[in-house]
């Protein structure tokens, strides 16, 4: 994510506002929340909610109590309670909206039970924090090499150091149960710190790493989506989508979460449609449903022996035939219920905007006179070099007079009387 005043540099840090992800809008961070109560005052008899939401690496957020009554605002870097030592995070939300977020995530509203915020981070804390963050890429590469050498069927997707460098968390995904006891010993000897392993699902892995979806936007799970609901192939069937796993699967390899976004609307629209398994009984024979268009409210039926000929029926007409079948009646044929839509005569192309003809560039361009004269001059120069230069008549010695104007001899000498 990025606010309008930021631009991402080569290192991934914003280079526009120079706040390196700690601007007041918090737009450079993931899962950001807009504090729409920041400019409003609480009633006189109401005490402020003394808790804050703090974000750590990627989308990991936790709630802390502000027992020291520190003046906090969005974007402040604070030192929080951790086990062991302390951790460094960025404040993403304060005030009454923290209460709303805790209710949404079903966390008990007991401020005293929350871990504490120790202080605002000093420059020494920030230097240590940035130092261990720079080592995470190298640690992840070395940890993957160790896991491959031990022959473990797992993938280490992310590494997160604690703010005081006293602990490192390895996030991994695996299809089956993994015995990583030997792996933890190897990590402890190699990295000389406390090790914690956390197994995450494939959707959570995509949310932590981020990416660009097939729609061209950032992944929903890494920007705003926090609850991952199960997605079934029936959601694609209800929306008349082809069951192509390459198109229905997201970056995580699972079915896309966006398949559930419009599912309720499709289910509501399908309530007025007859079941596709119901056959229509006519005197001509049985007809089965071949295709549905939910937007137009149309169904296509075909007789059992004539599957190549489809008959278009509206949902109301199909339900009418089904009601007749329930009463023991059969219509003559489906052709009786087909409503032919009136054909709309399309107007030909009219030059309403004042445009020129579309074929105006198809006509060959006429050669200009200058080009003809150039060709003549070239031809005469070639003839002169070959000795066959054409003889030109002098202008003044033309035998034929032009028009009624008398021709004067310019070469004769004037007489004395003249």
């Amino acid at each position: 994510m990025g606010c309008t005043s930021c631009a991402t540099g080569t290192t991934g840090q914003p280079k526009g506002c120079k706040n390196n992800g700690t601007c007041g809008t918090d737009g450079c961070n993931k899962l950001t929340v807009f504090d729409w109560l920041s400019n409003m005052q609480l009633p006189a008899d109401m005490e402020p909610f003394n808790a804050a939401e703090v974000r750590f690496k990627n989308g990991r957020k936790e709630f802390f109590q502000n027992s020291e009554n520190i003046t906090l605002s969005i974007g402040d870097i604070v030192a929080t309670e951790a086990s062991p030592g302390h951790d460094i995070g960025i404040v993403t939300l304060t005030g009454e909206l923290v209460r709303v977020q805790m209710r949404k995530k079903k966390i008990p509203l007991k401020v005293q039970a929350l871990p504490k915020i120790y202080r605002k981070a000093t420059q020494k804390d920030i230097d240590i924090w940035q130092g261990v963050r720079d080592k995470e890429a190298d640690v992840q590469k070395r940890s993957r090499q160790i896991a491959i050498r031990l022959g473990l069927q797992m993938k280490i997707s992310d590494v997160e150091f604690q703010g005081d460098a006293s602990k490192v968390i390895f996030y991994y995904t695996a299809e089956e149960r993994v015995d990583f006891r030997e792996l933890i010993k190897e990590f402890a000897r190699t990295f000389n710190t406390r090790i914690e392993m956390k197994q995450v699902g494939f959707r959570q892995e995509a949310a932590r790493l981020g990416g660009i979806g097939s729609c061209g936007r950032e992944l929903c799970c890494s920007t705003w989506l926090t609850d991952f609901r199960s997605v079934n192939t029936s959601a694609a069937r209800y929306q008349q989508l082809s069951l192509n796993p390459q198109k229905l699967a997201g970056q995580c390899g699972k079915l896309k979460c966006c398949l559930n976004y419009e599912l309720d609307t499709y289910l509501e629209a399908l309530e007025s449609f007859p079941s596709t398994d119901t056959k229509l009984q006519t005197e001509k024979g049985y007809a089965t449903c071949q295709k549905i268009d939910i937007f137009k409210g149309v169904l296509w039926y075909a007789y059992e022996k004539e599957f190549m000929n489809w008959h278009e029926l509206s949902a109301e007409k199909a339900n009418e035939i089904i009601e007749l079948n329930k009463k023991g009646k059969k219509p003559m044929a489906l052709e009786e219920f087909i409503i032919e839509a009136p054909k709309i005569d399309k107007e030909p192309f009219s030059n309403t905007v004042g445009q020129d003809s579309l074929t105006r560039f198809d006509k060959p361009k006429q050669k200009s006179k200058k080009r003809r004269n150039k060709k003549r001059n070239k031809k005469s120069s070639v003839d002169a070099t070959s000795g066959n230069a054409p003889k030109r008549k002098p202008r003044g010695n033309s035998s034929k007079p032009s028009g009624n104007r008398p021709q004067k001899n310019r070469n004769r000498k004037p007489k004395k009387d003249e």
Side-chain angles (χ1 to χ4, degrees), residues 142-178:
R142 295 171 61 187
S143 63
R144 286 182 175 180
Q145 293 174 352
I146 295 173
I148 293 172
R149 179 164 50 83
L150 295 177
L152 299 177
Q153 299 297 324
M154 59 183 295
K155 176 187 175 183
I156 300 175
S157 58
D158 196 12
V159 175
E160 181 180 0
F161 269 92
Q162 195 168 287
D164 58 353
S166 62
K167 184 175 70 173
V168 59
I169 304 173
F170 292 89
Y171 297 91
Y172 72 95
T173 56
E175 295 284 352
E176 300 177 356
R177 189 178 181 86
V178 180

Side-chain angles (χ1 to χ4, degrees), residues 41 56 106 129 170 182 211 293 298 382 386 397:
Q41 295 182 356
F56 299 94
K106 299 179 180 180
W129 177 47
F170 292 89
E182 187 66 28
D293 193 334
V298 175
V382 171
S386 60
N397 298 331

Side-chain angles (χ1 to χ4, degrees), residues 306-337:
E306 300 177 0
F307 287 106
M308 297 299 294
N309 298 327
W310 289 11
H311 303 281
E312 181 180 346
L313 297 177
S314 62
E316 293 80 6
K317 294 297 180 180
N319 289 325
E320 183 180 346
I321 297 175
I322 293 173
E323 291 297 329
L324 291 175
N325 296 151
K326 289 181 180 179
K327 295 178 182 179
K329 299 180 181 180
K330 295 182 181 180
M332 291 298 296
L334 295 178
E335 288 79 0
E336 298 179 359
F337 298 89

